[in-house]
Amino acid sequence: PVVWCPFYEVDIGQHVFQVEKYRLVKERLEAEGLLSNLTLHSPRSASSQDVLRVHTPSYWQKVLKGRFTPQEEGILEIPFSDAVREASLFCAAGTTLAGRLALNHGRAVHLGGGFHHAFADHGEGFCLLNDVAIAAASLLTEKTVERITIVDLDVHHGNGTAAIFADEPRIFTFSMHQQRNYPSIKPPGDLDVGLENGVGDDEYLAILTEHLPRILEDHQPQLIIYLAGADPYEIDQLGGLGLSLCGLRQRDDFVMKSAADCGSGVAVTLAGGYAINPSDTVEIHCGTVRAALA
């Protein structure tokens, strides 16, 4: 199953965050024929109840009314609008839907999501609402699943997710990221692996191979929410690691194999990607979908 929504593409002006990538990924997969035999699911908007499972009432009211100070919007790093709010709500519902579908089908891909910098009481780093946290909390509340592992392989530390689930033993947060990169303050998750600048394919894959199987064996999740960031790419504008297109595909293949080995479902989100050439970002995300379908 593949989850996608046209509302993800909103006008944020000239920006390093290439919101058109969601549509372009879908179009490329359609052109390749990969979506022809798959069911494309469209999410409904997340409810206030869904949001309030992880975000504070005061912050939710601020989002609803759009009452952001210039400083708060500066921390968010994208211009707030009603369309951005609606995109965030549909995106949160999309990741939740992908989680449910993964539990039923083994794997599901959300052509969106991964907004891991949103905290309970504020948004930052392009992230208004934390769709990963909303999805995980919703699935636990529904008793659809008992244990979830969040595998965050975006180039940036999953600070908001780590902070939200700091005291939640049913959710294991694993972030493998560039240490000397945004955010400057990294709240501890259950396992954080900070990488030095320039780490390439072989070293990256060796470190991932060392940690991921052990995490899954110890935590025994029924569901993995995988943030398959495209930004560890060697020519990413907001990253400083050295992974090639081939290395990123090997990363995705290893996550899928590890999940299969432990019998866990996988809900994939695209997370970040800011390559100098936008078509590289699209290709990396499409590679992740191909890995999930392989």
Side-chain angles (χ1 to χ4, degrees), residues 81-99:
S81 66
D82 291 345
V84 167
R85 179 185 60 236
E86 292 308 305
S88 299
L89 289 169
F90 275 97
C91 189
T95 300
T96 306
L97 177 57

Side-chain angles (χ1 to χ4, degrees), residues 50-56 59 114-124 127-138 140 150 157-173 186-190 192:
D50 296 329
V51 174
L52 289 169
R53 290 192 177 104
V54 300
H55 290 289
T56 64
Y59 180 60
F115 291 93
H116 57 168
H117 296 312
F119 284 72
D121 61 354
H122 71 277
E124 62 178 62
C127 304
L128 182 70
L129 299 174
N130 193 316
D131 65 288
V132 174
I134 290 170
S138 296
L140 288 176
I150 295 170
H157 177 258
N159 55 341
T161 310
I164 288 170
F165 292 131
D167 299 315
E168 176 49 83
R170 296 173 295 176
I171 296 177
F172 190 101
T173 57
K186 299 174 173 62
D190 292 298
D192 296 316

Side-chain angles (χ1 to χ4, degrees), residues 203-242:
E203 184 178 357
Y204 185 100
L205 293 168
I207 295 170
L208 183 62
T209 301
E210 174 188 355
H211 291 291
L212 183 58
R214 177 174 52 82
I215 291 168
L216 300 180
E217 181 179 357
D218 291 346
H219 194 239
Q220 291 290 306
Q222 292 92 29
L223 177 67
I224 295 167
I225 300 178
Y226 173 36
L227 283 72
D231 42 11
Y233 182 45
E234 58 192 346
I235 317 178
D236 192 272
Q237 296 178 82
L238 300 185
L241 297 183

Side-chain angles (χ1 to χ4, degrees), residues 261-283:
D261 288 346
C262 79
S264 176
V266 184
V268 179
T269 67
L270 299 187
Y274 318 94
I276 294 172
N277 185 342
S279 67
D280 286 345
T281 299
V282 172
E283 175 57 29

